[in-house]
Structure formats: structure tokens, C-alpha cells
Amino acid sequence: MISEGAVAHSVISSGRSYYEWAEDQLGYMYAYLPVMFPEVKAVTYFNFSRAQAGRSNMDFVYDLGENPYTDGGYRRLAASPRFLGRVDPAADPVDFTYRLHEDASLPEGRQSVSVYARLPDGSAPFAVALYHGGQRLGISFEMPWEMEITVPAGAAAEPLRLVAYDKKGQPAASRRLVAGGQDS
């Protein structure tokens, strides 16, 4: 369990709000943490309101309830089956294996793929797609950009291509991935 993780979304002294940035950061924290570290089963959010910040002479607001977008994103992400729904010593752990693509090629056949992606400016993509040649194998529109794909037989002859799209739906970044071979 990780306690008191949070993302500030407003700065009191400047009066500025960073809701879009905060939504992206919540996604990276709550979508990727259980994927990359499957032993983590709970994260307690540090929900510090504007009123609490003012009383404590703090400048940052963390309260998700002050914005419906960050609050809704948090609720969706925290409901992941990778987190515990309740504390129960008899609960079965989530059966999940994570392999970095740098360490292993994507084997031929049907599989679930989760992609960690950021655009060159550091922001989160609008969507991420995986291609083999001209064929799109899968696309996802929300973190952790999971998709069910089938890597075709003989894919090792032509690399896979991961494409991250910006909020206008335009390709903003791409990367080649190793494909093919036998499942290990």
C-alpha cells in the first residue's frame, strides 16, 4: 500500500488551475502503478482542500472533489480490478505478469498489451495504437492504454510500430518494437 499520494491541481497564489495536467498525472499514478508494480494493491489519496490549504498557509490544492473531471478520473482509475476492493486476508492476489518490451519481444499470438507513453512535451497522449505494417493491431483511448492484440505469425520480419496521438488526433510520437518469436 502507498499512503498519501496526491496530485495538486490548483495554485492559490496565482489563481491558476491545472486540471488537464492533474488528470494526466492521476492516470500515470493510478493506471500504471498497479501495472508496473502488481504487488501494490492500494493507494490512499491525500485529499487537501482549498479551505484546508488556506488555513495552513499552503499554496496547492489537491482535493479531487473540487473538479468533476479529476474526481471522475480518480474514481474510474481507483476502481481498477488490480487494486483491492476491500481488505480481506483471504483475498486471492491478482494474477498478472509484466514484461518490459526492451527485455522481451512481443510473442506471436493473442495477448494483452499495456503501453506506457508520453508525448515529447511530457503530456499524456489522447490515444495509443499498435501497428504491424499497415495493419492496426489495437488502439486504446485511456491509460494504461491496454489493448488486446494478435501479433501475426512471421511478425519478426517487420517490426511493430507504436504510435501516440495528440489531443487533435494527430500522430505525435512513434517507436518501433521487436515482435515475433515464441512465447516465453
Side-chain angles (χ1 to χ4, degrees):
M1 176 180 174
I2 296 176
S3 63
E4 294 193 3
V7 176
H9 58 76
S10 297
V11 179
I12 295 172
S13 61
S14 69
R16 299 209 43 204
S17 296
Y18 300 92
Y19 293 125
E20 188 173 317
W21 177 85
E23 288 177 70
D24 290 349
Q25 298 311 305
L26 280 171
Y28 285 115
M29 183 164 76
Y30 281 92
Y32 283 108
L33 190 66
V35 171
M36 296 176 79
F37 301 97
E39 297 84 15
V40 174
K41 299 298 179 199
V43 179
T44 303
Y45 190 85
F46 175 71
N47 215 25
F48 199 71
S49 71
R50 184 176 304 279
Q52 290 170 307
R55 286 192 301 271
S56 303
N57 292 322
M58 303 281 290
D59 203 25
F60 301 103
V61 179
Y62 299 89
D63 189 344
L64 296 173
E66 292 188 16
N67 179 275
Y69 297 108
T70 53
D71 191 46
Y74 165 80
R75 289 177 189 278
R76 180 183 58 78
L77 292 164
S80 167
R82 291 189 173 117
F83 289 123
L84 292 175
R86 67 189 196 309
V87 177
D88 182 354
D92 290 329
V94 176
D95 183 22
F96 183 76
T97 302
Y98 175 73
R99 286 188 299 184
L100 290 171
H101 75 66
E102 289 93 353
D103 297 338
S105 66
L106 292 175
E108 294 174 358
R110 187 109 176 118
Q111 59 200 287
S112 178
V113 176
S114 177
V115 178
Y116 183 88
R118 285 187 182 221
L119 297 180
D121 67 2
S123 66
F126 171 73
V128 174
L130 194 58
Y131 295 87
H132 180 253
Q135 178 185 5
R136 186 172 71 201
L137 302 178
I139 189 166
S140 181
F141 294 95
E142 61 185 28
M143 283 186 226
W145 294 294
E146 292 179 305
M147 55 192 100
E148 291 293 322
I149 65 167
T150 300
V151 176
E158 184 174 353
L160 298 173
R161 187 170 46 95
L162 179 67
V163 179
Y165 294 90
D166 64 19
K167 291 181 180 13
K168 295 178 183 176
Q170 299 300 311
S174 67
R175 184 171 188 178
R176 293 167 55 110
L177 305 174
V178 177
Q182 301 300 312
D183 192 1
S184 55

